[in-house]
């Protein structure tokens, strides 16, 4: 659904890569969407806590609202993550929304049931790779985009280990950033409309 105008330009990609190569900068991690149990945001917080306890330098922004918001805030306090976790209000789809995405380095996804969220594509358009459970959707995204790291569903330990690895060596994300933008440019709404037109013309021509 995203438009070509939402895909970041090359100069922004260069800025993001430079930030990832700066060892002093923390890994900026994001979740956005509904705060409901099946999204697994509580597991993301547990993974962040595990990585942080091992010395990972990171921050975690949670943008959205929903029935689980109070419970998640309590979990943050219980885990002692108040200094690195922020809750952001939802943004309308548009410039403000994409600015939040572009300010982050890695999108987390821990769905506890089948899911096909558009958030994955919005992230890629913003030059943001993903770390996700290996549900069929995210495995297919990993294969298609080369910008998604997957760990076994629904295990917490491998997910936390991968998060720690990426936070300790942010440069691992550099090729994924480049792949994310390339995949987004090739899969915008306009690009798919153009493909459909070409396919229809081929069918009519053959007929």
């Amino acid at each position: 659904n995203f438009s070509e105008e939402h895909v970041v330009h090359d100069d922004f990609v260069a800025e993001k890569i430079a930030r990832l190569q700066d060892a002093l900068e923390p890994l900026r991690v994001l979740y956005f969407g509904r705060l409901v149990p099946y999204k697994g945001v509580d597991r993301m917080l547990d993974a962040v806590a595990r990585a942080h306890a091992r010395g990972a330098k990171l921050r975690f922004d949670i943008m959205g609202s929903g029935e689980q918001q109070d419970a998640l805030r309590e979990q943050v306090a219980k885990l002692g993550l108040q200094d690195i976790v922020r809750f952001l209000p939802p943004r309308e789809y548009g410039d403000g929304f994409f600015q939040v995405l572009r300010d982050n380095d890695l999108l987390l996804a821990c769905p506890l049931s089948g899911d096909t969220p558009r958030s994955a594509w919005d992230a890629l358009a913003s030059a943001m790779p993903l770390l996700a459970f290996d549900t069929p959707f995210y495995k297919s995204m990993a294969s298609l985009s080369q910008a998604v790291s997957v760990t076994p569903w629904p295990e917490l330990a491998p997910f936390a280990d991968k998060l720690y690895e990426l936070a300790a060596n942010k440069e691992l994300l550099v090729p994924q950033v480049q792949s994310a933008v390339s995949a987004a440019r090739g899969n915008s709404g306009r690009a798919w409309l153009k493909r459909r037109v070409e396919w229809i013309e081929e069918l009519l021509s053959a007929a």
Side-chain angles (χ1 to χ4, degrees), residues 183-206:
R185 287 175 178 162
N187 288 281
S188 68
R190 183 184 297 273
W192 274 99
L193 178 61
K194 183 174 183 291
R195 286 191 186 98
R196 287 194 292 271
V197 170
E198 291 172 350
W199 292 336
I200 292 170
E201 289 177 345
E202 288 176 8
L203 288 170
L204 292 176
S205 176

Side-chain angles (χ1 to χ4, degrees), residues 9-39:
H9 299 294
D10 289 340
D11 55 351
F12 176 85
V13 175
E15 292 175 8
K16 174 160 278 192
I17 289 174
R19 189 172 77 207
L20 289 171
Q21 293 172 331
D22 184 350
L24 298 179
E25 281 285 330
L27 179 67
R28 303 179 184 184
V29 183
L30 176 69
Y31 166 81
F32 65 92
R34 290 178 294 152
L35 304 182
V36 293
Y38 90 91
K39 291 291 189 178

Side-chain angles (χ1 to χ4, degrees), residues 27 47-48 50-58 106 131 157-170 172:
L27 179 67
V48 168
R50 291 192 183 197
H52 180 61
R54 293 171 62 183
K57 187 183 298 184
L58 75 171
L106 183 69
L131 172 59
F159 189 89
D161 288 343
K162 188 63 177 180
L163 180 59
Y164 171 78
E165 178 188 2
L166 294 173
N169 188 1
K170 300 194 307 297
L172 292 173

